[in-house]
Amino acid sequence: MRRETERQVPWPAVHSRGDELDLYTLRIVTNVTGRSSATRKRLANGRETRAFLDAALDLTTELFTPTTPDQYMDGDEDDARPVMSYLSRRKVLAKARDNCGKDFPLSENMMRHRWGTHGDFLADFVSYALTDKYWSLHDSIRRHATDLLTTNEGFAGAVHRAAYEDLKLVIGLPAYRFQLLAVATAHADSSSARALVRMYENLTELWTALYTDVFEHYGFRFRPGISVDDFHILVQSTGEGLALRLVSGVGEQLIDHKQQTSLLGTAALSLFLALIDPGDGLSLEQAVEQAVAQRRTT
């Protein structure tokens, strides 16, 4: 079994709310107006554009809290999606002005100059909000990599702690609740669908890099027919499903804050034990058949 004293995972440099990201080149903001690509890129990365998008993100944060005042719901935009009526141009502009202060004047004309319709703004906001989830999870995933590669508490304990921290973070992210909204409307909204695909692609790249590094570090390999992508999809889907049950308030014992464990950790360890090749070279199906046959003969 190969061991190393320390590994540095080559995580990309990502900053909170993407203050140093090129929103246009990364195709996060793509619906701004402008005759040339250079003009659209300048507008997409402009201070005013970020102010409007961050204001919408703040309104989303305020919406997805335990209490939702009625004044957040607003229907003064003809082309606004009904489920996003709380993000009317008037509400976004007021929030952006409140955030930026008097020394940074903002106007409705600035919004209309950047987005031909309010629907265009909302399309870019969906992408921006879902990318915010990626930014929020990035540092957490990086810490998980360090813990799993350098743990002194035992591998199972490190997995439980990583799963607990990840689940706790996800259920606390307003962007996760917004993700549920985007998923529910993706079939009727191509911009939401594209943004979801991009978010999942980015998260898959991060998580599979972590799993690959950890498995290589410990000398693990999957059973025949199982890939690191399969493992990632199963773990991520389980985590999102558990997070959905938690935010729904069903009252199940899914997370233990005192012990800092969760059913996500239990599921991750179960998948690990089932899908990692212990040396018998059997596929998952063959291993199951062998276990059943052995049980029948005892």
Side-chain angles (χ1 to χ4, degrees), residues 29-187:
V29 173
T30 60
N31 292 281
V32 290
T33 57
R35 292 186 177 181
S36 69
S37 177
T39 299
R40 292 192 296 273
K41 180 176 180 178
R42 176 178 57 80
L43 288 174
N45 289 297
R47 184 179 177 186
E48 294 85 358
T49 299
R50 292 176 187 270
F52 293 132
L53 291 169
D54 282 339
L57 198 60
D58 287 340
L59 286 171
T60 300
T61 298
E62 293 172 1
L63 176 71
F64 290 123
T65 51
T67 57
T68 305
D70 292 338
Q71 67 262 28
Y72 286 127
M73 310 310 294
D74 199 337
D76 64 356
E77 300 293 345
D78 292 338
D79 58 347
R81 298 167 177 81
V83 293
M84 297 185 194
S85 60
Y86 71 97
L87 292 178
S88 69
R89 187 180 282 112
R90 177 173 62 84
K91 291 290 187 182
V92 171
L93 178 59
K95 188 63 175 180
R97 285 172 171 169
D98 185 55
N99 287 343
C100 296
K102 296 181 180 179
D103 295 333
F104 184 33
L106 295 168
S107 68
E108 183 174 330
N109 284 337
M110 289 180 178
M111 288 193 74
R112 294 185 182 277
H113 176 61
R114 283 158 176 77
W115 294 280
T117 69
H118 195 58
D120 289 336
F121 168 77
L122 292 174
D124 278 343
F125 172 68
V126 170
S127 176
Y128 192 73
L130 293 179
T131 305
D132 187 61
K133 179 186 176 183
Y134 167 75
W135 295 329
S136 300
L137 287 175
H138 174 270
D139 287 341
S140 176
I141 296 173
R142 188 174 183 175
R143 288 194 300 272
H144 296 342
T146 301
D147 289 346
L148 291 168
L149 292 173
T150 62
T151 180
N152 292 319
E153 65 175 314
F155 184 76
V159 170
H160 260 302
R161 188 172 72 253
Y164 167 79
E165 293 295 338
D166 184 55
L167 190 57
K168 186 175 67 172
L169 176 62
V170 168
I171 62 177
L173 283 176
Y176 170 70
R177 290 165 172 80
F178 186 82
Q179 175 189 337
L180 300 178
L181 183 65
V183 168
T185 59
H187 70 286

Side-chain angles (χ1 to χ4, degrees), residues 211-227:
Y211 295 138
T212 299
D213 228 58
V214 169
F215 292 170
E216 288 181 353
H217 177 72
Y218 287 101
F220 298 140
R221 64 178 183 179
F222 288 108
R223 289 187 177 278
I226 300 297
S227 69

Side-chain angles (χ1 to χ4, degrees), residues 81 84 123 126 130 182-183 185-186 189-197:
R81 298 167 177 81
M84 297 185 194
V126 170
L130 293 179
V183 168
T185 59
D189 184 354
S190 60
S191 61
S192 293
R194 289 193 299 271
L196 283 165
V197 169

